[in-house]
Amino acid sequence: IYELFKANRPADIVSVVEAGKASGLEFPELGKYLGSCIESVTTAAHVAHHARTVLDRYYKRQIIHAAGRLAGSAMAEDSVNERLAEIQKLVLEADAIFTSKLDSYNSGFDTFLEDVGAQSKREVYRTGIRQLDILWKGIASSEICTIAAGPGVGKSTLALNLLHNFGAQNIPCAYFGTEMKSLETKMRHVSIASGVPSFKFRIGALSLEDRRLAYEAISGTIGKMPISISNEDRPSIAKIDAVIAEGKFKVVMIDSLMFCDLPKAENMRLRVQQFMVDLNALKHRRN
């Protein structure tokens, strides 16, 4: 084969057998033997397929090992959360790799217009706040909207107002208030709905009139809203995913990001960045 290569001649089975005969290298099963050699060696044409197979097996092994470590630490709550986050991260990584697709404009303008037309079928939720709806045109499904501002500016108050407005539209919502327990979140929400100042709830100084207003807000408005408030101190991506799967929520609000169970990294910026990457993968998977 090497001699054929040096002579710039083809090295297929027929050529090799003929060259073998000319060189005295001849035995009855030579052609069959060369054929079995070719079949047993993977060609470069299939390298992408085999690479994906190897990668798939790698992730499956890693998930199995992580599940084993989870089983071994089932009695330690901190370790369980860490192991669950590890498994979730592996699943999200594998999902991102094996569902990735390449697209181009060459697929046709008609297809592009069909995809744009399909956008009209997406659910769009109005915030109920005129200025925001003018800016955002509403929030569409599979979108992440990040509200950023300094401390004490009113991010949580805005988030609770959005929660109230979405709930009033009968949109199932999950609220992760990491800075407040669920009771504190409920008190602030009832304050918004009833008009009773929040400090009265905070210090327990409710008058009879305040109690009446709060009762009417809960029984007449808030109690009918499809809103669930998480009592998780440090929700992880895995926990958020589980809550979405269980409750079939349309809108998920996280307040605030800094108090979530962020992935381990050498600095806060990288931890937040990785959390947002995982959250982005989650939104595509859960739509």
Side-chain angles (χ1 to χ4, degrees), residues 42-64:
T42 304
T43 68
H46 302 122
V47 67
H49 169 76
H50 287 286
R52 291 173 68 85
T53 301
V54 170
L55 192 59
D56 176 62
R57 298 298 187 273
Y58 164 78
Y59 275 109
K60 286 179 178 176
R61 284 196 301 272
Q62 293 301 312
I63 291 171
I64 290 170

Side-chain angles (χ1 to χ4, degrees), residues 8-46:
N8 199 27
R9 292 172 55 190
D12 56 84
I13 291 180
V14 174
S15 300
V16 172
V17 169
E18 292 300 322
K21 289 180 180 179
S23 304
L25 180 65
E26 181 182 2
F27 54 92
E29 301 295 324
L30 177 59
K32 183 178 179 181
Y33 170 72
L34 290 173
S36 67
C37 288
I38 291 174
E39 290 176 0
S40 67
V41 177
T42 304
T43 68
H46 302 122

Side-chain angles (χ1 to χ4, degrees), residues 9 11 26-27 32 47 55 57 61 66 88 98 107 150 166 178 180 189 200 216 223-224 230 236 250 274:
R9 292 172 55 190
E26 181 182 2
F27 54 92
K32 183 178 179 181
V47 67
L55 192 59
R57 298 298 187 273
R61 284 196 301 272
Q88 176 74 9
F98 293 110
S107 57
F166 288 140
T178 61
M180 300 179 288
H189 187 193
K200 290 189 174 185
E216 289 180 354
K224 298 177 182 178
S230 171
S236 62
K250 298 293 187 180
Q274 185 57 53

Side-chain angles (χ1 to χ4, degrees), residues 22 41-42 44 48 50 52 55 69 114 118 121 157 186 214 257 263:
V41 177
T42 304
H50 287 286
R52 291 173 68 85
L55 192 59
R69 291 192 290 273
E114 288 176 7
K121 299 177 183 177
T157 301
K186 289 177 182 177
L257 181 65

Side-chain angles (χ1 to χ4, degrees), residues 68-245:
R69 291 192 290 273
L70 171 64
S73 60
M75 300 304 293
E77 186 173 343
D78 292 341
S79 297
V80 167
N81 292 335
E82 185 176 333
R83 298 307 178 200
L84 285 173
E86 180 184 359
I87 293 173
Q88 176 74 9
K89 185 173 185 295
L90 288 167
V91 171
L92 289 173
E93 283 180 1
D95 185 61
I97 289 172
F98 293 110
T99 60
S100 62
K101 296 179 180 178
L102 294 175
D103 200 359
S104 71
Y105 290 101
N106 297 327
S107 57
F109 189 63
D110 291 340
T111 304
F112 170 74
L113 291 179
E114 288 176 7
D115 293 339
V116 173
Q119 293 285 89
S120 63
K121 299 177 183 177
R122 296 174 69 190
E123 294 178 276
V124 178
Y125 311 120
R126 300 291 177 180
T127 67
I129 301 174
R130 183 173 174 273
Q131 292 88 340
L132 285 181
D133 286 331
I134 290 173
L135 289 172
W136 282 351
K137 312 300 182 186
I139 300 174
S141 59
S142 292
E143 279 188 347
I144 294 178
C145 297
T146 305
I147 301 172
V153 172
K155 299 185 298 296
S156 296
T157 301
L158 174 59
L160 285 171
N161 274 278
L162 294 176
L163 178 73
H164 181 80
N165 291 349
F166 288 140
Q169 298 174 61
N170 204 36
I171 299 170
C173 300
Y175 188 89
F176 291 86
T178 61
E179 294 181 284
M180 300 179 288
K181 287 289 187 181
S182 61
L183 176 60
E184 297 174 89
T185 303
K186 289 177 182 177
M187 287 193 303
R188 293 185 65 176
H189 187 193
V190 173
S191 171
I192 290 170
S194 64
V196 178
S198 60
F199 79 88
K200 290 189 174 185
F201 290 97
R202 185 169 57 84
I203 64 175
L206 294 174
S207 65
L208 287 176
E209 177 63 12
D210 294 335
R211 290 177 181 273
R212 183 187 68 80
L213 291 172
Y215 175 78
E216 289 180 354
I218 294 172
S219 60
T221 307
I222 298 177
K224 298 177 182 178
M225 293 181 178
I227 291 174
S228 296
I229 299 173
S230 171
N231 215 16
E232 286 287 322
D233 292 328
R234 294 176 59 80
S236 62
I237 287 290
K239 186 64 179 180
I240 295 170
D241 188 17
V243 168
I244 295 172

